[in-house]
Amino acid sequence: GHDLKELAAASQEIQHSIFNRCNDLMMLVAKSSAPVLASVDGFATAAGCQLVAACHMALCSDRSKFATPGVNIGLFCSTPGVQLGRAVNRKLAMDMLLTGEPISSEAALKGGLVSRVFSSEELEQETERIANIIASKSNQVIELGIKNFNSQMKKQLVDAAEQSSEVMVRNLGLEDGREGLTAFLEK
């Protein structure tokens, strides 16, 4: 989360600047066409939880916890709620925002805040393994896929399906798409 001492001592102009920089970072992560993975082995609170929610994938240890505890000190976690409300269902987001209580890694997995949970001992190795799997894929294909996924999620079902069909055709036209399909069919 944010440095609360810094926020308390800052002018409103500085506070605006801090939150604007944080929002810029979250937008950069959320809109990135390169995969951004979070790996959490501990407590992700407020802006830390927001960052986890903004990432394309989030991995955590079984001892990790997630919270938006601002309400406990009179500061509703409004900015973390932007990404959180888009990553998890509305009821879980409001539960976290209204109570300030932390949720477990299991609840985060069930709610969609994280994609996988590992033991603390396995987390670093598994994060590296998953990152290497993704890195071994075609950059063009991954970029195309992320851009389409983000775009189609904002559309109605029929429009999303039409757009995604067009993207599949473009994907088949990419050299990496043609090479991969040919190699698969030759097996």
Side-chain angles (χ1 to χ4, degrees):
H2 291 289
D3 180 339
L4 297 179
K5 287 182 184 177
E6 176 188 22
L7 285 174
S11 67
Q12 282 192 340
E13 184 179 328
I14 299 293
Q15 291 168 344
H16 277 290
S17 175
I18 291 168
F19 286 113
N20 287 338
R21 279 189 313 217
C22 184
N23 285 337
D24 289 346
L25 173 64
M26 299 305 162
M27 291 301 111
L28 186 65
V29 169
K31 291 181 176 184
S32 174
S33 59
V36 181
L37 278 67
S39 182
V40 179
D41 188 20
F43 216 174
T45 63
C49 187
Q50 180 182 6
L51 182 58
V52 171
C55 291
H56 296 108
M57 287 179 66
L59 316 172
C60 74
S61 69
D62 52 9
R63 69 179 185 179
S64 295
K65 294 186 184 217
F66 303 85
T68 52
V71 71
N72 295 334
I73 58 168
L75 296 172
F76 197 85
C77 283
S78 297
T79 51
V82 172
Q83 294 296 338
L84 184 64
R86 285 160 174 76
V88 304
N89 69 59
R90 179 185 171 96
K91 301 292 188 209
L92 178 58
M94 289 307 294
D95 183 313
M96 292 176 70
L97 292 164
L98 293 171
T99 67
E101 292 183 342
I103 63 168
S104 68
S105 58
E106 182 180 311
L109 180 63
K110 286 180 184 174
L113 183 58
V114 301
S115 39
R116 301 188 193 193
V117 177
F118 302 99
S119 71
S120 185
E121 298 77 29
E122 296 174 311
L123 180 62
E124 186 175 342
Q125 179 181 343
E126 287 297 317
T127 300
E128 188 172 324
R129 183 184 71 78
I130 291 166
N132 286 334
I133 289 171
I134 295 167
S136 74
K137 311 300 182 202
S138 163
N139 288 339
Q140 275 188 312
V141 171
I142 293 288
E143 181 178 333
L144 182 68
I146 289 174
K147 284 181 178 177
N148 179 65
F149 182 83
N150 289 338
S151 174
Q152 64 87 18
M153 288 297 290
K154 300 173 193 167
K155 298 182 179 230
Q156 294 295 320
L157 184 62
V158 171
D159 296 333
E162 287 175 9
Q163 173 185 306
S164 295
S165 291
E166 289 297 318
V167 170
M168 288 295 297
V169 171
R170 264 190 277 143
N171 195 161
L172 285 166
L174 295 175
E175 184 177 338
D176 288 346
R178 288 190 311 273
E179 284 179 12
L181 186 57
T182 300
F184 177 79
L185 293 173
E186 289 174 354
K187 287 185 180 180

